[in-house]
Amino acid sequence: MSNETMKAWVIDKFGGPEVYRVAELPIPTPGEGEVLVKVQGSSFNPADWKVREGHFGSREFPLVQLFDVSGVVASTGAGVTEFGEGDAVYGVTYTGAAAEYAVVKADHLGPRPTLMDPADAAVVPVAALTAYQALFDHGQVTSGQKVLIHAGAGGVGSFAIQLAKWAGAFVYATGSARNHHLMRELGADECIDYHSAKFEEVAKDVDMVLHSIGQDQVSASLQALKPGGRLVAISADPLASEAEAQGKVAIGFSMVPATEQLRKLEGLIQDLIVRPVIDTVVPFDRFVDAMNEVQQGHTVGKIGLRI
Ligand SMILES: NC(=O)c1ccc[n+]([C@@H]2O[C@H](COP(=O)([O-])OP(=O)(O)OC[C@H]3O[C@@H](n4cnc5c(N)ncnc54)[C@H](OP(=O)(O)O)[C@@H]3O)[C@@H](O)[C@H]2O)c1
């Protein structure tokens, strides 16, 4: 460990927003296969407050929060050949990015889309990788298929609409009416206001559903699928047996960071095919306010943290 220190948002126990504090911690040293990133930005995901509340099981404290990272390589550990000091990178860390420095596994990093402001680029990794993996690795979406994307104005949904369109799918997207203009701009063919319509009565015989909302809606999502269709759940039990009984496939998964897919997303952003939707990027000292906002569950796009 270095003798130098850095500022970080940490928790020392599970709880509400009151457990946050800014700590002065030693700058970590990257181990084998790891990279030390001088962080320029991070971003908020619902997983962050869920970790803080203890929903994802035990953790070591003090725990530095946030998974998304964007910055510049400060140093590399043994065996890292793909990245070198000064490289502009983005990716996912499991040891906290709400800090001036973060250690990231080299295979969880990719070259950052330089078209974006360095802090802004941190809104991409978790949400975009989740959307990409849901649609293509698990949902097997191909051109000409019909896809239903829930929460189309949210972090994952706003990337998923664009990626599904890029793949040539017909896209149904759910969200409040006030966000339909945005969802259409992103590529949604048909927007469904979940306050006034039952989505399963509008989106019928779809090939794939990206289920990112509540458990109480999973059966309705299954109903929207055609026989043989695939439900991919990222926020609920996918009810695999119920799906199987209907001749459908339902799976749940957790996003796994991968350099190759971060590269792919970087290319799509640089080519202006995917446009990250950013609600706001807050300074370091507004961390708690931003996290509270995300926990409300009505963010449009993503909220970033500038470091
Ligand atoms: N498994 C994984 O690896 C993984 C990875 C990332 C995220 N997730 C999970 O996926 C979920 C979504 O993540 P996110 O980052 O996209 O969240 P988010 O950005 O916070 O989602 C906010 C959006 O959800 C919409 N929304 C809320 N309730 C809705 C409903 N009943 N129907 C349609 N839209 C609704 C809101 O629209 P309105 O304002 O119109 O309500 C808002 O635009 C979270 O539960 C998260 O934990 C899982």
Side-chain angles (χ1 to χ4, degrees):
M1 250 182 212
S2 139
N3 291 327
E4 291 178 75
T5 62
M6 63 177 190
K7 283 194 178 0
W9 278 101
V10 302
I11 59 171
D12 303 298
K13 59 178 179 183
F14 294 131
E18 71 285 352
V19 299
Y20 284 124
R21 71 179 171 98
V22 175
E24 199 69 45
L25 299 178
I27 295 176
T29 305
E32 190 173 348
E34 294 178 338
V35 172
L36 181 69
V37 175
K38 179 159 181 22
V39 183
Q40 291 168 291
S42 184
S43 90
F44 298 85
N45 293 287
D48 299 311
W49 61 261
K50 293 178 187 176
V51 166
R52 185 199 68 219
E53 290 188 350
H55 300 292
F56 291 160
S58 63
R59 289 288 194 279
E60 273 182 32
F61 299 113
L63 172 79
V64 182
Q65 278 246 279
L66 305 191
F67 297 98
D68 278 315
V69 61
S70 171
V72 170
V73 174
S75 64
T76 54
V80 175
T81 54
E82 200 166 340
F83 302 102
E85 200 180 325
D87 285 355
V89 291
Y90 74 155
V92 180
T93 178
Y94 292 95
T95 47
E100 291 170 288
Y101 289 85
V103 164
V104 191
K105 287 186 190 303
D107 55 6
H108 293 175
L109 269 185
R112 185 179 76 209
T114 49
L115 198 74
M116 299 182 72
D117 173 272
D120 292 2
V123 306
V124 176
V126 169
L129 285 168
T130 304
Y132 190 95
Q133 292 171 14
L135 292 169
F136 305 124
D137 295 347
H138 303 284
Q140 301 174 2
V141 168
T142 55
S143 181
Q145 288 191 332
K146 289 200 287 182
V147 172
L148 169 60
I149 292 165
H150 284 298
V156 176
S158 58
F159 282 108
I161 291 175
Q162 298 180 73
L163 290 169
K165 279 314 282 184
W166 165 68
F170 181 95
V171 177
Y172 295 97
T174 65
S176 296
R178 69 176 181 281
N179 293 328
H180 286 193
H181 179 70
L182 169 70
M183 297 192 316
R184 273 195 207 95
E185 265 185 5
L186 297 175
D189 295 288
E190 192 153 350
C191 298
I192 305 167
D193 181 2
Y194 71 92
H195 299 286
S196 59
K198 288 189 168 181
F199 62 82
E200 68 277 20
E201 291 176 358
V202 181
K204 291 181 176 162
D205 291 322
V206 305
D207 296 273
M208 188 255 170
V209 181
L210 171 45
H211 189 94
S212 55
I213 53 174
Q215 187 66 52
D216 55 334
Q217 304 284 306
V218 176
S219 290
S221 282
L222 280 174
Q223 211 179 311
L225 283 175
K226 72 177 193 187
R230 300 174 78 83
L231 178 140
V232 179
I234 60 169
S235 55
D237 178 335
L239 304 181
S241 326
E242 190 176 319
E244 199 181 341
Q246 298 173 25
K248 300 167 184 174
V249 178
I251 37 182
F253 83 102
S254 287
M255 183 276 296
V256 179
T259 297
E260 191 196 325
Q261 292 180 347
L262 285 163
R263 272 186 195 286
K264 180 90 206 168
L265 292 162
E266 180 241 2
L268 291 169
I269 293 167
Q270 293 292 105
D271 290 344
L272 305 177
I273 293 167
V274 167
R275 170 171 73 89
V277 179
I278 299 174
D279 175 319
T280 178
V281 176
V282 300
F284 191 74
D285 62 357
R286 295 285 309 281
F287 175 96
V288 179
D289 294 337
M291 185 72 81
N292 288 340
E293 176 86 25
V294 170
Q295 190 162 3
Q296 298 297 312
H298 299 290
T299 315
V300 175
K302 296 275 307 173
I303 298 182
L305 179 72
R306 187 177 298 277
I307 298 187

